[in-house]
Amino acid sequence: MNYTDLVRGAAHAPFEGWDLGVFAGRFTEENTSWDFAELVRSRLTDGEALLDLGTGGGEFLSGLAPLPPGTTATESYPPNVPVARRRLAPLGVRVIDTSDEDDDSLPLPDAAFGLVTSRHESYAPAEIARVLRGGGVFVAQQVGGRDLAELNEALGAPGHGYSHWDLASARAGLAGAGFEIVDAREELVPAAFHDIGAVLLFLRITPWQIPGFDADRYDARLRALHARLSSGSPLTVRCHRFVITARRPLTP
């Protein structure tokens, strides 16, 4: 496909929830050394309610079924809320719209959950501590501040606004909220973009990567990158990921 068709396709491609199947073969990413689903699954028990933060369209959470009674999910992006409810309601999961909440506050009671998970969702350590019972566990996989820095460099764009976010910052925040760190790992995972349409679609659904991104403003850089990708030379990047498991003490 030519440049114009790829740009048009990226602008109009349907995208619902957080289903990345549309990138198959166009953006490739190696796996982390850990399996986040297994880390969460190993913590699931029938007697402990689960809270999943930023569930997207419920894709990840539904893959953990069967889920414990009382499982709850939050989602702050309004278009994703009905998608998540359609997918998760049959599994007995309540989905709460948190789009009106400030500073990652959670409209949930104290000590209501034995397990809280966050897959690429921001969180406030004090709020996680509040909604977890004593002895409860928080398991999070996060996108670090060096994520896909090579993409920004290729387009001559400034870095994103959360460059400070890394494992050390997460550890410090959770420790400051009284958590005991059980496990913590961090990696830069190889990945690659294979066509300019995938680049543009990715930037469309992740507006934080290049704040204020506009294809017309970056036209020259995009066309140069398109020529490179079309010649069979992918843009190699690195995904910054870290995972952390923390336990709330039995006594504050």
Side-chain angles (χ1 to χ4, degrees):
M1 297 178 68
N2 62 36
Y3 178 78
T4 301
D5 289 339
L6 287 166
V7 170
R8 185 181 299 114
H12 299 288
F15 190 83
E16 183 178 79
W18 202 241
D19 181 0
L20 301 181
V22 68
F23 288 103
R26 305 176 67 193
F27 173 72
T28 54
E29 177 184 348
E30 293 187 18
N31 295 324
T32 57
S33 63
W34 61 84
D35 185 331
F36 185 65
E38 286 305 313
L39 291 178
V40 174
R41 194 174 284 113
S42 69
R43 299 279 178 178
L44 290 176
T45 63
D46 291 337
E48 298 290 356
L50 163 67
L51 171 63
D52 183 45
L53 303 179
T55 201
E59 297 88 355
F60 173 74
L61 185 57
S62 63
L64 299 176
L67 297 164
T71 295
T72 301
T74 68
E75 177 53 38
S76 60
Y77 182 53
N80 281 349
V81 174
V83 179
R85 286 175 174 162
R86 285 197 304 270
R87 178 175 280 115
L88 296 175
L91 302 177
V93 178
R94 177 175 60 137
V95 177
I96 298 175
D97 183 345
T98 56
S99 57
D100 292 330
E101 301 296 327
D102 296 325
D103 301 322
D104 294 317
S105 59
L106 299 170
L108 294 161
D110 295 354
F113 301 94
L115 177 63
V116 177
T117 61
S118 170
R119 184 176 181 273
H120 305 176
E121 177 72 0
S122 63
Y123 61 87
E127 277 291 89
I128 304 303
R130 183 184 64 79
V131 300
L132 270 175
R133 62 161 180 79
V137 174
F138 178 51
V139 186
Q141 177 175 288
Q142 296 284 285
V143 176
R146 288 174 282 170
D147 193 57
L148 306 182
E150 299 85 357
L151 172 59
N152 295 54
E153 293 169 4
L155 295 180
H160 38 60
Y162 59 98
S163 58
H164 66 284
W165 185 232
D166 59 11
L167 181 58
S169 298
R171 288 185 69 123
L174 289 167
F179 280 91
E180 300 168 352
I181 307 302
V182 176
D183 180 38
R185 287 173 268 177
E186 185 169 32
E187 294 178 355
L188 290 172
V189 182
F193 286 96
H194 297 273
D195 71 73
I196 202 67
V199 169
L200 288 164
L201 179 55
F202 179 85
L203 292 173
R204 172 187 144 196
I205 66 175
T206 60
W208 54 85
Q209 185 69 35
I210 301 179
F213 175 79
D214 179 80
D216 291 337
R217 186 188 314 165
Y218 287 91
D219 183 72
R221 291 276 193 158
L222 287 167
R223 289 180 182 275
L225 182 55
H226 168 64
R228 168 184 167 179
L229 299 176
S230 298
S231 71
S233 178
L235 174 63
T236 56
V237 295
R238 295 180 298 172
C239 300
H240 184 188
R241 300 287 184 268
F242 62 89
V243 66
I244 189 163
T245 301
R247 179 180 292 111
R248 185 176 184 267
L250 285 169
T251 55

